[in-house]
Amino acid sequence: MAKGTTTKKTPSKVLKNDVDVTAITKKQKRKAESTGETSPPKKTKVINDGYCVFVGNLNTSKTFEEVTASLEKFFMTQSLIVQDIRLAKSRKHAFMDLASNMDVTKALSLDGEVILGQPLTIDKAKVKTVESAKKKAKAPKLDQKAKDSRCLFLKNVPYNATKKDIKEVFPKAIDIRFPDQADSPDKGIAFLEFKNEAIASKIRTRKKGAMIQERVLIIDPVGVVSSNKKKNANPKSSHEVEISPSTKLFVSNLPFNVTEKNLKHVFKKALTITMPKNGDKANGYAFVEFATVADAEKAMNATKKVKILKRLIKVQFYEKREKPEIGEVESKKLFVSKLSDKTTTEILQEAFQGCLNAKVATDRVTGKSKRFGFVEYENEEMCAAAKQAMEDSEINGTKVSVCYARSKSNKDKNLELPGCYVMLKA
């Protein structure tokens, strides 16, 4: 071996029963070392052990590092052991974990002390457990069908009613909304949201006949398609397709503060615009007539997604109803059947807002309701709009049937009840 060179001595292997004991010992040693040096589990920010304080009114003009350093320095000068500081992204407040309950008590006495030019607000933070953190975890977004199942649709709501008035009748509602994010039910309707579908179903049953300002509320589920509408699901048999084109359009879903000038701005080629009103307030629909069918059809297609005063309007051809051969059609009068025994003339009149008069038929001897009645309007347009609005609605918790009334035919004039009305299916 050459001079100046060194040789590295390697430890000899210890064999026991032909097994390398040295290698096993090294593996065990490494395992022991790794076991002793395991990194601590990550802290869950939403969980604390009770030694935590809330510090508010922080100076948001300072940087994240400046606020954190100032808090740590201030608490350390007060002989408080700070284990962790969790500063909010807004830098308006922070949560500080301390070492003991004694430190928390001392920290609370520092309320009002000034840091970075602002007095602190110090309070004890709520103890959060794993269970509470799970409860506060964001729930997955519900689809529209699931959301509709826990909502109720209110009709016949007084225009001057407030959310407070509705909340008094439905205290379990977690949210009350009016169409188009309005502050009041200017269309006479409202949407109520409950915690789940079961509560909404119970409330709908229990609150049958509920009233606000002596007005009976009509409560319907949201997103439920009636059997009549399901039958007409085929486009060939739908009501809109059967309406033949004409020079007159029926415009509905109008805001109640709409003016003829607003409509004229949308339907510039219109010859006449008729907008029925109930006093000084519009009824929410209008009739627009054009010179030709082509102009009317062009206007209808051009206004499919048009909004007037932030409300999406609905435009269709005006439907001209033909009178049947038997009897005279009462185009201003509606026949309402399947009424509840509790429905009185006053309730019926309240349900059909804007009508001239309403009457529930009663037995002459017993005075009990015959479970049908009649509602009369000032003109055909108002009657048609009311029929459309009240289809598949409930009065006193019972789904009613609404159709046009007609007088008896000449063959029936010799009956004992002259002038009686019967149902005409539209």
Side-chain angles (χ1 to χ4, degrees), residues 303-319:
T303 54
K304 284 184 178 179
K305 295 183 180 180
V306 170
K307 291 183 178 180
I308 295 180
L309 300 178
K310 298 182 180 181
R311 186 189 290 273
L312 184 67
I313 64 174
K314 183 180 178 182
V315 184
Q316 63 186 58
F317 285 115
Y318 174 63
E319 181 182 9

Side-chain angles (χ1 to χ4, degrees), residues 272-290:
T272 60
I273 296 176
T274 306
M275 192 169 56
K277 292 185 178 182
N278 185 10
D280 295 332
K281 204 169 189 179
N283 286 334
Y285 61 91
F287 301 92
V288 183
E289 192 164 3
F290 294 84

Side-chain angles (χ1 to χ4, degrees), residues 41-65:
K42 292 182 179 180
K43 291 184 178 180
T44 306
K45 292 185 179 181
V46 295
I47 299 174
N48 60 68
D49 55 4
Y51 307 140
C52 181
V53 293
F54 169 84
V55 183
N57 198 35
L58 299 176
N59 193 335
T60 56
S61 63
K62 303 297 181 180
T63 63
F64 189 93
E65 291 75 15

Side-chain angles (χ1 to χ4, degrees), residues 86-101:
R86 301 189 297 280
L87 182 62
K89 289 183 179 180
S90 61
R91 301 192 303 280
K92 291 182 179 179
H93 66 271
F95 291 94
M96 302 185 66
D97 291 330
L98 304 179
S100 65
N101 192 37

